Amino acid sequence: MICLSGLPLSVPPARAAREGLAEGLAAQLERWAQRMGTSQPGDTLTHVIRELALAACDGHVCLPFTALTGVSADEASRVLLASGMAIEAGETPHVLAATAFPLVIDGERLYLRAFFDLEYRLARALNTLSAPLPDDATMTPRIRAVLDTVFLAREGVDWQKVAAALALTRRLTIISGGPGTGKTSTVAAIIACLAELEPDLRIALAAPTGKAATKLREALAARSRDLPEAARARLPAEAHTVHRLLGASATPGRFRHHSANPLALDLLVVDEASMLDLSLAASLLDALPPYARLVLLGDKDQLAAVEAGAVFADLSSGWRFRADEAARLAALTGTPEEILLQGAGSEAALPDCIVWLLDSHRFRADSGIGRLAREINAGEGAAALAWLKARSDSAVSWIEDETETGNALPDATPSSSVLTAMEEGYAAYFSALRETFADETLETRAARIFAAFERFRVLVAVREGPRGLAAVNAHLERHARAVLGIESGGTEWVGRPVIVLKNDPVTRLFNGDIGLCLPDGNGALTVAFPAPGGGIRTIPPRRLPEHDTAFALTVHKSQGSEFSEVLFLLPARPSRVLSRELLYTAVTRAACRVTIAGKGEVFEAGCAARSTRFSGLGERLRSGG
């Protein structure tokens, strides 16, 4: 929930809410105008407000006047200002603090006031954070020596070493890379270097979801085996969700930690930063103490957050080192200065703070998943589809979703071959549920069953309809009950995976946490969740916050997760939610094998569709304001 100068506005992701949200906002603004004694909104103003509300519901932070339909930019601006509902930001946006206008015009962009305030606040914090640490000539040889110790010599440019050098000398480091490019290894190396240079540093790890936080902690623990003892001792034992780190309250958007009560840390590492929406990113920067370092890890090609904004993509769409910084990094890392000066992508929003990691160690660019991800990113849908259908790589497969007669299913229900593939994907999980061992505690049994469950996942693009989240989960629930021999009478939940949909500080469960419904030692049903510091914690079903079944996940909910195998079910026809970024994110959730099921023309349409979020953050950062 956000608030526009007293006007509450919920921005739900559900597509069905778009029309109602737009109409509701227009009505609220009309009532606001009446209370303020301004003129009644006319048709033009109502039309502009409606389009702005639709844009907000689609995750846009603002609406460029050039994107308006049916009205010119000049007319829209004139009507907005004349109505008394909008104010121009001008060259000193901070003067808006004492005003009550619900809309803001900033150059060629129109904002809901709450989004303007958040973006302006975040840009100021990022610009402040992007400055280098005070120069200390005595530290240069020490930094160079510790980097050479942690990073072994290798052929070509070691961008992980460059990223580590940035993190040792700047307060803000942004690292973008696809799966397996070494983001976590880089963080482990940064911590190893800092353990030598600043042994008393307080370090915290965080991610937007519980699953991503657990994955970060486990990955760092695995990397730590190759680190010196001092570095291993500095690795945090726990990774938090961002909401838990900030101290989420029952009021959405309100946290215990903020500028007046900052976090007690010196280095914060945030993984899966592409999932940070505008509001959460602003709250996170607000809670950082003025001396702390921040390292953001993410993949610029992944989906943006469900809520408004694409903060990480705005920050990492391009990188560039200026001459002074390139010279300094060359001296610290041995990287040729001319390479550091080349840059890549679009104009960097924050020069000297961003590094792209391009070499995947999980799978080669020409391997099955790597090649498919690359071709999707390049928009080469036809080539990718032809290669998938050729079945030339066992790591990727395609199921043409047709009936046995070759005709497309008229009601879009997944074909029997697709349903069978889903069911067989969970065979190991159902087998683990049936197995019992006399000496097994609930915790060890839950850990064993979790390991089996995490091997496979069905991902979907849409929520509604026969190929949507609800229908697929319902089918797999029925199949699970049949396989496990479960009848009605209080045991229907046994074996059901659940995903938490709402942050609940009381139970310490957060949006995205996944649990499994299992009987305890006395046969009573309990829901087991991975504990933040390792192990298992259990919750009675009646205490669960808002939740859903999790045999199938939307691609958005799967971000931050990795599964051995993934089956991605395409929608029946091209959809506004099916984009290149969504396909790429779905495919790269798989570590070993991915199957895509659907119609070829739908896959190609998704590869051709780019996901765009309107925002002024990049331009605001580049202009320094």
Side-chain angles (χ1 to χ4, degrees):
M1 180 77 72
I2 63 174
C3 183
L4 296 88
S5 302
L7 294 174
L9 170 63
S10 176
V11 185
R15 308 306 308 176
R18 294 177 76 246
E19 294 295 327
L21 171 64
E23 298 299 338
L25 177 58
Q28 285 188 19
L29 286 168
E30 185 170 348
R31 289 193 295 271
W32 183 92
Q34 291 174 333
R35 288 197 303 271
M36 299 299 293
T38 56
S39 59
Q40 289 276 351
D43 292 342
T44 299
L45 182 59
T46 301
H47 173 72
V48 172
I49 295 303
R50 187 177 185 278
E51 293 219 352
L52 179 61
L54 290 171
C57 193
D58 285 337
H60 300 291
V61 174
C62 60
L63 180 64
F65 283 118
T66 54
L68 283 170
T69 62
V71 59
S72 70
D74 288 343
E75 182 185 5
S77 180
R78 177 182 58 77
V79 170
L80 284 164
L81 292 172
S83 72
M85 297 184 192
I87 187 173
E88 291 185 286
E91 297 182 1
T92 54
H94 61 276
V95 302
L96 294 176
T99 66
F101 292 88
L103 306 178
V104 177
I105 297 173
D106 188 17
E108 298 300 316
R109 299 184 297 270
L110 175 62
Y111 288 84
L112 297 172
R113 169 63 183 275
F115 287 165
F116 177 86
D117 289 346
L118 286 169
E119 185 179 275
Y120 180 68
R121 193 174 99 207
L122 177 60
R124 291 189 67 183
L126 285 167
N127 272 323
T128 300
L129 195 66
S130 65
L133 293 168
D135 193 18
D136 183 351
T138 64
M139 287 295 293
T140 299
R142 293 186 61 198
I143 293 173
R144 184 168 54 237
V146 76
L147 285 169
D148 288 341
T149 300
V150 172
F151 290 93
L152 301 178
R154 54 180 287 187
E155 291 186 14
V157 178
D158 190 343
W159 290 109
Q160 293 183 36
K161 188 175 184 180
V162 173
L166 274 182
L168 299 181
T169 56
R170 305 189 77 90
R171 291 185 57 213
L172 175 64
T173 304
I174 300 166
I175 303 172
S176 176
T181 52
K183 297 189 294 293
T184 308
S185 296
T186 304
V187 169
I190 290 169
I191 293 174
C193 292
L194 288 171
E196 176 68 25
L197 297 170
E198 302 179 51
D200 295 328
L201 214 64
R202 298 168 300 173
I203 302 170
L205 308 175
T209 68
K211 183 66 180 177
T214 300
K215 180 183 166 188
L216 173 62
R217 179 185 58 80
E218 291 174 347
L220 277 176
R223 304 293 192 281
S224 70
R225 301 185 188 113
D226 300 325
L227 298 178
E229 176 58 34
R232 287 200 299 272
R234 299 303 305 137
L235 284 172
E238 185 177 354
H240 306 270
T241 65
V242 175
H243 284 86
R244 191 158 67 93
L245 178 76
L246 294 177
S249 70
T251 304
R254 297 287 180 87
F255 298 100
R256 185 172 68 254
H257 291 289
H258 42 74
S259 59
N261 181 32
L263 295 161
L265 52 80
D266 303 298
L267 169 65
L268 174 60
V269 177
V270 180
D271 198 12
E272 298 294 343
S274 61
M275 300 168 67
L276 291 174
D277 61 80
L278 177 65
S279 178
L280 190 57
S283 295
L284 185 67
L285 269 291
D286 192 42
L288 277 183
Y291 48 78
R293 290 182 175 95
L294 175 64
V295 176
L296 297 177
L297 308 171
D299 185 343
K300 63 182 177 60
D301 297 316
Q302 274 192 197
L303 281 170
V306 174
E307 301 295 337
V311 173
F312 191 80
D314 287 338
L315 296 180
S316 59
S317 61
W319 65 265
R320 178 173 66 90
F321 295 120
R322 290 172 287 205
D324 288 351
E325 185 69 15
R328 190 169 62 83
L329 289 173
L332 290 173
T333 65
T335 307
E337 196 170 333
E338 59 272 18
I339 292 178
L340 293 170
L341 287 169
Q342 288 176 358
S346 59
E347 185 182 354
L350 289 169
D352 305 332
C353 295
I354 304 157
V355 174
W356 290 359
L357 305 180
L358 301 175
D359 299 325
S360 176
H361 307 288
R362 182 185 302 174
F363 35 72
R364 303 184 318 275
D366 60 347
S367 69
I369 297 174
R371 173 175 172 174
L372 181 57
R374 177 179 58 80
E375 292 188 346
I376 288 172
N377 253 345
E380 298 173 357
L385 181 63
W387 178 67
L388 277 169
K389 289 183 174 181
R391 299 180 181 276
S392 56
D393 194 309
S394 60
V396 296
S397 61
W398 171 263
I399 301 177
E400 188 73 26
D401 205 353
E402 294 181 338
T403 63
E404 288 73 9
T405 61
N407 297 320
L409 292 168
D411 62 354
T413 301
S415 64
S416 59
S417 58
V418 175
L419 295 175
T420 298
M422 293 179 185
E423 295 161 2
E424 290 177 349
Y426 284 112
Y429 172 59
F430 298 138
S431 177
L433 282 165
R434 288 194 296 266
E435 291 178 328
T436 57
F437 300 93
D439 59 345
E440 198 171 43
T441 65
L442 174 60
E443 181 169 330
T444 56
R445 180 169 186 254
R448 173 176 59 81
I449 294 172
F450 257 113
F453 179 67
E454 291 300 306
R455 294 176 191 169
F456 174 78
R457 196 70 86 250
V458 176
L459 302 182
V460 298
V462 295
R463 293 180 173 274
E464 306 301 330
R467 304 174 74 82
L469 184 71
V472 173
N473 270 323
H475 172 82
L476 289 170
E477 281 190 274
R478 290 192 297 271
H479 176 72
R481 288 196 292 269
V483 169
L484 299 173
I486 294 173
E487 299 179 356
S488 60
T491 61
E492 298 96 327
W493 271 44
V494 171
R496 180 192 182 202
V498 296
I499 182 168
V500 175
L501 302 178
K502 185 178 181 180
N503 295 326
D504 184 34
V506 175
T507 59
R508 292 178 291 119
L509 292 174
F510 296 88
N511 188 4
D513 288 352
I514 288 182
L516 298 178
C517 300
L518 304 171
D520 65 14
N522 300 316
L525 190 68
T526 189
V527 188
F529 289 87
I536 298 293
R537 57 188 291 251
T538 58
I539 298 290
R542 66 180 180 277
R543 292 190 62 201
L544 280 176
E546 185 179 347
H547 59 276
D548 198 0
T549 303
F551 281 115
L553 299 175
T554 62
V555 178
H556 271 289
K557 285 293 186 184
S558 76
Q559 285 183 270
S561 299
E562 177 185 304
F563 312 102
S564 294
E565 298 187 27
V566 162
L567 187 152
F568 177 44
L569 182 65
L570 293 169
R573 58 189 59 85
S575 164
R576 60 188 301 156
V577 304
L578 184 65
S579 65
R580 187 179 305 177
E581 290 79 8
L582 186 132
L583 281 166
Y584 171 84
T585 303
V587 165
T588 55
R589 296 313 88 204
C592 301
R593 178 178 171 81
V594 63
T595 298
I596 301 177
K599 300 294 294 178
E601 58 266 28
V602 176
F603 175 81
E604 290 189 46
C607 289
R610 293 301 304 264
S611 176
T612 302
R613 290 279 179 94
F614 296 137
S615 162
L617 181 61
E619 182 179 329
R620 206 175 297 283
L621 289 168
R622 284 186 285 270
S623 66

